[in-house]
Amino acid sequence: MKFSKYSRIILLLWGVSICIVIYYSLVPAVEWPIDFWNVDKVYHAAAYFWLALLSMTGFSVRRALPAALSMIILGALLEIGQYFIPGRTFSLMDIAANSLGVILGIILGHYLRPGSISQRSHLFPGP
């Protein structure tokens, strides 16, 4: 499979982003710069939105959706792992926030894929 320079950069960023999400998911305590009630749900959704968006734009058409959906599995596994880490807790709401982020990332990523606008030009015919 041949990747463009653009795809390689996105996939490298995707891999680094996964490592960052794993790290922050498994450290005992995280202090975030902005704090309000349930702000962690916003962070969860934003992180998994980013991961899904990168996979939708970096992978080939055939592999993009499975890669993006695998982020839901990653989020669930990391959430289970948090059960065993002091100072962290397992939360179904965090898994829901992760999943929402992935779904939104898939939707936006679908429209941002290279060539996707020309593929849907029949939806908005010109004059």
Side-chain angles (χ1 to χ4, degrees):
M1 178 164 138
K2 218 173 167 186
F3 284 108
S4 68
K5 183 178 179 182
Y6 169 77
S7 293
R8 288 182 183 161
I9 292 169
I10 290 177
L11 292 176
L12 176 64
L13 183 57
W14 183 64
V16 170
S17 297
I18 288 174
C19 292
I20 292 169
V21 167
I22 290 171
Y23 173 78
Y24 280 109
S25 295
L26 298 178
V27 294
V30 178
E31 293 287 330
W32 295 104
I34 299 173
D35 191 21
F36 55 85
W37 182 73
N38 276 337
V39 70
D40 66 311
K41 307 308 181 261
V42 175
Y43 287 125
H44 279 266
Y48 284 87
F49 169 83
W50 176 248
L51 293 176
L53 181 66
L54 289 174
S55 62
M56 288 298 292
T57 56
F59 279 100
S60 67
V61 173
R62 195 177 89 227
R63 294 183 180 175
L65 186 59
L69 289 173
S70 72
M71 296 300 96
I72 293 174
I73 297 168
L74 174 67
L77 291 174
L78 289 173
E79 199 61 37
I80 291 167
Q82 288 180 1
Y83 177 79
F84 301 101
I85 297 173
R88 300 302 291 261
T89 58
F90 171 83
S91 169
L92 287 175
M93 292 304 292
D94 286 351
I95 294 174
N98 298 345
S99 300
L100 176 63
V102 168
I103 291 166
L104 294 174
I106 288 170
I107 291 168
L108 182 59
H110 174 73
Y111 289 100
L112 293 179
R113 288 189 64 80
S116 64
I117 293 173
S118 63
Q119 292 171 355
R120 287 186 301 282
S121 62
H122 67 281
L123 295 176
F124 303 104

